[in-house]
Amino acid sequence: MFKKFSAADASGQSILKSSVQRSIRATLLSQMNWDAETLELVWPKKEALVLVKCRDHISIYTVQGEPLFFQHFDGPFFPTLRLLQKYPSLLPKVQVDRGAIRFLLAGAHMMCPGFTSKGGWLPDADAAIPKEKAVAIFAEGKDHPCGVGLTKLSSEEIKSVNKGVGVEIVTYLGDDLWSLKKL
Amino acid sequence: MGKKKNVQPPPPSTSTLPELTADGEGNVVGEGPVVVEEAKKEGVKPLEVLYCQGELRYPIDVGCDDDLVIVCSFPPEFCEFGSSLTRCKAWLHEEHPDLFDKYYSEDALVEKTALLSTEAATKLEKDTAKKEAKAEAKARAEEERKKEAKVIVKRIERNKRKYVTSISGLEAFGIDLKKAAKLFAQKFATGASVTKTVTGGEEIVVQGDVSDEIVDMFEEANESSKESALKGVPEDNIEVVEEKKKKGGD
Ligand SMILES: [Zn+2]
């Protein structure tokens, strides 16, 4: 999503109405794993949330110029990778094996076998992740998550189907959103 | 009625918005959590993430103070997948020797290669070397291009004793033209606009004859340690020219 991206792709910035900000706050609390107090640390209520509209229906949300969340059309909210690394448990965890890392950092979507091999990891059936859900992508042998993804199959399907794309990568370490510290 | 309440409990807050004015303590912006009445919980502090400052740097000796620098910016555990591993290692060794040992000691390497087949491991090493070489070549080409590039500051006569000054060629030095134009407009309290040139580039046009002052501004920006939109154009790469009105010719 941010493989070739620059501030020039942003077509306009606007401060959101406070009613909209309130509903986004509620959505962020329901879609991600954190409490209101922690969200308050990241996005204090006295700071305005700014919507930066970008090409291809990508919306980036910034606080004091720092990109914190983004969204494609009106899909789920994603944290930026920088935010996710500060709060790694915001999203359910999946893990790819070491061999997949260099493909991930080149922007490739993640194939099922990367998760089901020895170095990969998926939650057990009782904590299964449904499809079309934002996930934190960890990698074998690494402490920090290195990508944010959207599941194309449920975690149980990834295990059983075990071929093709399991998780689409929406942002990854070193892409142009990563490089964009202020917008 | 024996019991009388003297103290009324404060009415429940209808809004969760923090009161910004009521606080006599002089709340500093961005300091700590604003605690909501009923939930006196504190938020979870963010993890501290270390970003690698390993960099590819190309100092050149043509009077350019502004070296071309590409900073890695990855958390160090991922530098092996970046394009400046050699510099990253040097940086980490210098700044965080403990982490250096963690990531690059014999043991760490043995453990890492054990995760991959030897074939894949060699491939990864080769890839990293290739990537590094590519990044260096790119940086060098960029540097060459910068060395050759020229910024033209042109004094243009519009009417008798009416001048405008155009500045072109700034793109090659990564200057943000809009920001630069704003600086000029502020400095000279005059109009400064960004316009397209016939050759497809962009130039800044400032009202008045200010070519010498503009050259000075570039110089000052380079010498100053402060951030400036004008930083990065070496003095030697600036050329001042003059465009007379056709009739007046010399
Ligand atoms: Zn590095």
Side-chain angles (χ1 to χ4, degrees):
Chain A
M1 208 176 267
F2 299 101
K3 198 166 181 176
K4 286 263 186 289
F5 186 85
S6 76
D9 290 314
S11 58
Q13 299 204 358
S14 54
I15 296 180
L16 292 164
K17 279 196 291 188
S18 55
S19 59
V20 177
Q21 296 200 30
R22 262 199 302 279
S23 91
I24 290 179
R25 197 176 280 275
T27 309
L28 289 170
L29 287 172
S30 73
Q31 290 184 354
M32 294 178 203
N33 176 31
W34 53 2
D35 52 26
E37 291 73 27
T38 306
L39 177 53
E40 174 69 28
L41 287 181
V42 170
W43 168 23
K45 288 206 183 72
K46 56 176 180 267
E47 297 294 344
L49 189 69
V50 172
L51 164 65
V52 184
K53 281 202 169 151
C54 305
R55 58 152 165 80
D56 302 336
H57 302 278
I58 296 171
S59 302
I60 300 178
Y61 298 88
T62 66
V63 172
Q64 291 190 311
E66 185 191 352
L68 291 180
F69 314 102
F70 62 95
Q71 195 183 18
H72 188 220
F73 284 99
D74 47 10
F77 278 80
F78 298 104
T80 58
L81 184 59
R82 282 179 193 270
L83 178 61
L84 181 67
Q85 288 182 343
K86 289 177 191 160
Y87 290 101
S89 55
L90 273 187
L91 300 176
K93 169 185 167 165
V94 296
Q95 179 175 302
V96 294
D97 59 32
R98 185 173 159 82
I101 302 178
R102 66 196 171 94
F103 297 107
L104 202 168
L105 300 198
H109 294 321
M110 292 291 99
M111 314 299 267
C112 294
F115 298 101
T116 55
S117 70
K118 194 163 140 267
W121 186 88
L122 288 168
D124 289 336
D126 55 359
I129 306 167
K131 66 175 182 181
E132 301 296 329
K133 175 95 178 96
V135 286
I137 304 191
F138 287 73
E140 179 182 16
K142 305 293 177 199
D143 298 324
H144 299 85
C146 53
V148 179
L150 182 68
T151 52
K152 287 285 114 186
L153 299 170
S154 71
S155 56
E156 288 305 297
E157 281 169 335
I158 293 178
K159 291 177 197 171
S160 60
V161 177
N162 203 22
K163 60 169 194 260
V165 172
V167 177
E168 277 185 9
I169 304 303
V170 292
T171 184
Y172 58 92
L173 187 63
D175 70 0
D176 290 332
L177 181 60
W178 173 265
S179 314
L180 201 71
K181 283 184 213 144
K182 288 266 164 184
L183 195 65
Chain B
M1 330 187 167
K3 254 165 105 190
K4 211 175 192 180
K5 270 189 194 155
N6 320 344
V7 187
Q8 282 234 308
S13 178
T14 47
S15 144
T16 50
L17 286 171
E19 285 178 45
L20 292 177
T21 45
D23 193 340
E25 304 286 344
N27 260 335
V28 185
V29 174
E31 216 204 12
V34 177
V35 181
V36 181
E37 272 296 302
E38 78 274 41
K40 285 248 191 288
K41 269 199 303 181
E42 274 191 35
V44 181
K45 293 260 151 52
L47 290 184
E48 269 190 46
V49 182
L50 175 71
Y51 303 110
C52 171
Q53 300 299 310
E55 50 189 38
L56 282 176
R57 179 183 283 267
Y58 289 91
I60 47 163
D61 293 314
V62 291
C64 175
D65 304 319
D66 190 34
D67 304 335
L68 182 81
V69 173
I70 302 168
V71 180
C72 165
S73 86
F74 286 8
E77 58 173 359
F78 286 103
C79 290
E80 55 171 328
F81 295 99
S83 48
S84 50
L85 181 59
T86 317
R87 322 287 162 126
C88 293
K89 279 166 108 169
W91 176 82
L92 198 65
H93 193 251
E94 180 78 15
E95 301 290 328
H96 302 276
D98 48 327
L99 283 179
F100 181 85
D101 288 343
K102 180 175 169 196
Y103 296 137
Y104 301 112
S105 69
E106 286 286 302
D107 291 351
L109 291 180
V110 169
E111 204 174 294
K112 242 182 330 201
T113 35
L115 297 179
L116 287 174
S117 66
T118 15
E119 198 186 329
T122 344
K123 172 131 176 50
L124 181 65
E125 258 163 51
K126 267 192 201 147
D127 275 4
T128 309
K130 229 192 269 168
K131 252 195 199 165
E132 255 184 288
K134 222 166 140 189
E136 291 202 14
K138 198 171 154 199
R140 217 173 279 132
E142 177 81 0
E143 197 56 40
E144 280 303 313
R145 205 172 52 74
K146 263 198 193 178
K147 231 190 292 183
E148 300 294 314
K150 280 258 183 280
V151 167
I152 310 283
V153 178
K154 198 192 282 178
R155 183 166 97 139
I156 306 167
E157 192 176 10
R158 275 284 148 85
N159 279 308
K160 266 280 164 252
R161 290 203 210 97
K162 277 236 166 164
Y163 296 93
V164 296
T165 307
S166 80
I167 306 103
S168 54
L170 291 168
E171 300 97 328
F173 296 89
I175 305 279
D176 182 326
L177 273 80
K178 276 200 193 138
K179 282 191 190 148
K182 212 167 169 190
L183 285 183
F184 294 142
Q186 273 166 5
K187 168 96 175 178
F188 306 117
T190 177
S193 58
V194 179
T195 53
K196 291 234 165 9
T197 64
V198 275
T199 53
E202 281 189 314
E203 63 180 9
I204 299 175
V205 178
V206 187
Q207 301 301 316
D209 173 18
V210 288
S211 37
D212 293 339
E213 287 91 335
I214 281 176
V215 176
D216 289 346
M217 281 176 80
F218 281 116
E219 223 174 293
E220 278 161 24
N222 284 341
E223 279 160 14
S224 160
S225 54
K226 272 193 289 181
E227 276 297 312
S228 162
L230 299 182
K231 240 187 174 96
V233 185
E235 203 190 330
D236 293 348
N237 293 47
I238 304 177
E239 204 169 298
V240 182
V241 299
E242 191 156 347
E243 185 180 289
K244 283 253 165 76
K245 254 196 122 184
K246 273 183 229 147
K247 269 197 290 185
D250 42 0

